[in-house]
Amino acid sequence: MASLPLIRISPSEFQFTECRTGYTSRLRLTSLQGQAVGFKFKTNAPHKFLVKPVVCSLTKKGMSVDVVVRSSSPITDVDRFLIQTVALAADEAEDLDSAK
């Protein structure tokens, strides 16, 4: 049984650009479901990357949030990123929001 995607991530390729303070990337996560969706952004080097927001809920279909990832040092081949998603009940969505 195939499961439907909970979010759309754009752009589809995760790329960093150099800026005066280091390196930055911006992703837009958009809910594809009629129910609340929670996500958590993970990296294998949490001390190297500043991610905002790390945890957030998207409470209705079409709702989006921009995730900004910053690093003061260059990105290497060993750096890894993972976005975990889960469908939420309405009361769970209120508790799971670090973007507030």
Side-chain angles (χ1 to χ4, degrees), residues 47-64:
H47 60 281
K48 181 177 177 180
F49 297 98
L50 173 64
V51 179
K52 293 216 177 191
V54 174
V55 176
C56 189
S57 62
L58 304 171
T59 56
K60 57 187 174 192
K61 187 173 185 173
M63 185 176 178
S64 296

Side-chain angles (χ1 to χ4, degrees), residues 47-85:
H47 60 281
K48 181 177 177 180
F49 297 98
L50 173 64
V51 179
K52 293 216 177 191
V54 174
V55 176
C56 189
S57 62
L58 304 171
T59 56
K60 57 187 174 192
K61 187 173 185 173
M63 185 176 178
S64 296
V65 66
D66 288 335
V67 177
V68 178
V69 182
R70 292 190 175 121
S71 176
S72 58
S73 56
I75 312 312
T76 66
D77 291 341
V78 297
D79 294 323
R80 300 284 181 254
F81 304 94
L82 173 69
I83 299 173
Q84 293 180 315
T85 60

Side-chain angles (χ1 to χ4, degrees), residues 15-36:
Q15 295 185 355
F16 284 84
T17 56
E18 193 168 359
C19 61
R20 62 183 175 87
T21 58
Y23 301 86
T24 188
S25 181
R26 181 179 303 265
L27 296 172
R28 174 161 286 201
L29 308 182
T30 304
S31 174
L32 300 176
Q33 301 300 315
Q35 70 185 91

Side-chain angles (χ1 to χ4, degrees), residues 36 59 88-95:
T59 56
L88 300 171
D91 59 330
E92 292 174 314
E94 292 175 13
D95 295 335

